[in-house]
């Protein structure tokens, strides 16, 4: 008898904020394990804001996209013995058949990756600080922004999974750090992890806060938000400032289509030109050849007590859509993880 797996399917295109009715929990067969294949069981699943973008482009009826730490429960592949663990983009699914072709792919997004030596740390960190999230923060700051000790670093979405790591690495690098988040308890978390200045953007004016916190202006801006927030930051960038565009969560639920060439961006030409700003978008997989380097450095900082992490753990696979919607509303404090 063929094994079955539970999976969450995208069955309705979200309009604005996703709703529970956009997703359907189904059971489907797991193909048999052939030569070179493995079958894995989800140990913990990641919930991330980018999934809202994916929900807008995935074909209806598809399994929702997402990463998970999975344990190999059946193997005909010597590289992945039974009992070994991997980080894989298997989506919102409990049991997954990974073909030999999939395991050999050169597409980094579809690759199954080994965890670093966790040295006693929770495996769920492979989806956060010791995974895609951590390396996005690590390489985005150290390679895109390249801050110098004494410079001022601004982080939007600073209490989130990526932002909170950026804040702490910037402090490790000797920088002055300003963080913005969306609630008072998140602001408290920013202070706990070392931010020199932390603000709730819902109750302060960004410009007024930056006049106070960055009188000499901002050298490096790690942008997780985009939109009006980033437009408010631009006049406070220092000459020769750098911007790393990591995300734009402020626009993930927007429905209107921008006309081609429309002047709707958050980067004002005069600010960019006169202040000689460098603005660069990036994706984590650009640093594939240095992947383990980043994870091992992040792990060592955790073990040395220099880097704190916080996980928002929800128990129950049936709560995947609820948790996803909660993340988009900002209800999580730390990396959102579902334990099935």
């Amino acid at each position: 008898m063929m094994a079955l797996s539970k999976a969450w399917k995208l069955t309705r295109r979200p309009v604005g904020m996703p709703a529970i009715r956009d997703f359907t929990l189904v059971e489907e067969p797991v193909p048999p394990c052939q030569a070179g294949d493995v079958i894995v069981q989800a140990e913990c699943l990641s919930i991330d804001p980018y999934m809202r973008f994916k929900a807008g482009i995935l074909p209806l009826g598809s399994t929702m996209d997402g990463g998970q730490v999975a344990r190999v429960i059946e193997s005909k592949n010597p590289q992945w013995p039974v009992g070994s663990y991997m980080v894989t983009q298997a989506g919102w699914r409990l049991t997954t058949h990974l073909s030999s072709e999939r395991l050999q792919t050169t597409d980094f997004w579809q690759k199954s990756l080994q965890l670093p030596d966790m040295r006693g740390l929770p495996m769920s960190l492979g989806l956060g600080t010791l995974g895609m999230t951590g390396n996005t923060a690590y390489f985005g700051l150290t390679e895109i922004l390249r801050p110098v000790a004494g410079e001022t670093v601004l982080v939007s979405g600073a209490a989130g999974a990526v932002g909170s790591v950026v804040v702490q690495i910037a402090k490790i690098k000797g920088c002055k750090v300003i963080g913005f988040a969306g609630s008072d308890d998140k602001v408290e978390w920013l202070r706990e992890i070392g931010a020199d200045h932390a603000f709730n953007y819902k109750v302060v004016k960004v410009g007024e806060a930056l006049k106070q916190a960055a009188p000499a202006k901002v050298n490096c801006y790690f942008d997780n938000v985009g939109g009006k927030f980033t437009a408010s930051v631009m006049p406070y960038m220092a000459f020769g400032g750098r911007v790393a565009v990591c995300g734009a969560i402020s626009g993930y639920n927007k429905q209107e289509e921008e006309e081609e060439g429309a002047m709707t961006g958050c980067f004002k030409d005069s600010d960019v030109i006169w202040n000689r700003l460098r603005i660069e978008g990036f994706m984590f997989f650009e640093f594939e050849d240095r992947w383990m380097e980043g994870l091992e450095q992040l792990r060592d900082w955790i073990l040395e007590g220099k880097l704190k992490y916080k996980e928002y753990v929800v128990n129950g696979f049936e709560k995947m859509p609820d948790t996803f919607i909660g993340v988009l509303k900002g209800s999580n404090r730390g990396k959102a993880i579902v334990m099935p």
Side-chain angles (χ1 to χ4, degrees):
M1 182 177 177
M2 186 172 286
L4 297 174
S5 175
K6 290 183 177 180
W8 279 102
K9 301 289 185 178
L10 177 69
T11 50
R12 182 177 174 274
R13 190 70 67 198
V15 177
M17 181 66 67
I20 300 296
R21 64 181 179 274
D22 299 334
F23 311 95
T24 303
L25 183 60
V26 304
E27 279 195 337
E28 57 186 13
V30 179
C33 191
Q34 306 287 353
D37 301 350
V38 300
I39 294 176
V40 299
Q41 187 78 33
E43 294 283 318
C44 46
L45 300 103
S46 181
I47 297 290
D48 301 283
Y50 80 84
M51 293 173 178
R52 177 59 184 87
F53 170 75
K54 284 300 190 82
I57 62 172
L58 284 172
L60 293 180
S62 300
T63 300
M64 268 296 290
D65 192 44
Q68 59 178 247
V69 172
R71 178 172 55 89
V72 178
I73 58 173
E74 186 176 350
S75 176
K76 294 188 178 177
N77 187 314
Q79 290 185 316
W80 296 103
V82 170
S84 59
Y85 291 88
M86 65 171 64
V87 177
T88 185
Q89 202 73 11
W92 295 13
R93 185 194 309 273
L94 286 180
T95 307
T96 305
H97 170 269
L98 298 174
S99 68
S100 58
E101 291 78 18
R102 169 77 178 269
L103 292 169
Q104 296 175 51
T105 183
T106 57
D107 179 355
F108 190 76
W109 188 256
Q110 296 298 326
K111 277 188 175 182
S112 296
L113 303 171
Q114 290 184 331
L115 289 163
D117 179 356
M118 302 299 282
R119 297 187 184 173
L121 294 170
M123 281 189 301
S124 54
L125 288 179
L127 298 173
T129 307
L130 299 186
M132 177 184 76
T133 299
N135 267 349
T136 298
Y138 178 77
F139 289 112
L141 184 71
T142 63
E143 293 298 325
I144 304 299
L145 292 180
R146 295 178 178 266
V148 175
E151 287 191 319
T152 296
V153 175
L154 169 62
V155 187
S156 60
V162 172
S164 60
V165 178
V166 175
V167 167
Q168 294 178 86
I169 298 174
K171 289 304 299 178
I172 290 169
K173 298 293 183 182
C175 298
K176 174 182 173 181
V177 181
I178 304 167
F180 282 83
S183 69
D184 290 342
D185 70 317
K186 290 182 177 180
V187 167
E188 204 52 49
W189 165 237
L190 293 179
R191 294 189 177 120
E192 188 180 326
I193 60 176
D196 297 283
H197 299 275
F199 301 98
N200 181 346
Y201 70 86
K202 294 180 180 178
V203 299
V204 302
K205 290 186 176 180
V206 174
E208 291 302 314
L210 291 178
K211 284 179 186 177
Q212 167 198 331
K217 298 200 171 182
V218 173
N219 305 105
C220 300
Y221 172 34
F222 196 104
D223 183 11
N224 290 303
V225 174
K228 291 180 179 178
F229 182 93
T230 291
S232 299
V233 169
M234 286 301 101
Y236 299 93
M237 293 298 298
F239 185 88
R242 292 88 75 197
V243 181
V245 182
C246 178
I249 194 171
S250 66
Y252 286 168
N253 289 311
K254 289 185 178 177
Q255 291 304 301
E256 66 270 19
E257 290 291 327
E258 288 186 4
E259 179 185 351
E260 185 175 356
M263 297 299 289
T264 57
C266 50
F267 300 106
K268 187 177 177 183
D269 292 356
S270 57
D271 291 329
V272 175
I273 294 168
W274 288 106
N275 286 321
R276 315 295 198 273
L277 303 183
R278 178 168 61 79
I279 301 166
E280 185 172 349
F282 72 100
M283 291 293 287
F284 60 90
F285 49 72
E286 297 173 43
F287 304 97
E288 176 182 1
D289 59 338
R290 298 174 58 191
W291 196 252
M292 204 55 72
E293 170 199 330
L295 298 186
E296 289 174 351
Q297 177 61 83
L298 291 162
R299 177 204 61 203
D300 291 347
W301 280 334
I302 291 175
L303 293 172
E304 292 165 9
K306 296 178 179 178
L307 185 61
K308 297 179 181 179
Y309 64 87
K310 191 174 290 293
E311 293 183 316
Y312 174 76
V313 178
V314 176
N315 291 304
F317 184 68
E318 71 280 1
K319 296 179 182 175
M320 293 289 288
D322 288 291
T323 309
F324 173 48
I325 294 165
V327 165
L328 292 177
K329 291 180 177 179
S331 63
N332 60 305
R333 187 175 167 188
K335 172 65 184 164
I337 300 288
V338 172
M339 307 294 288

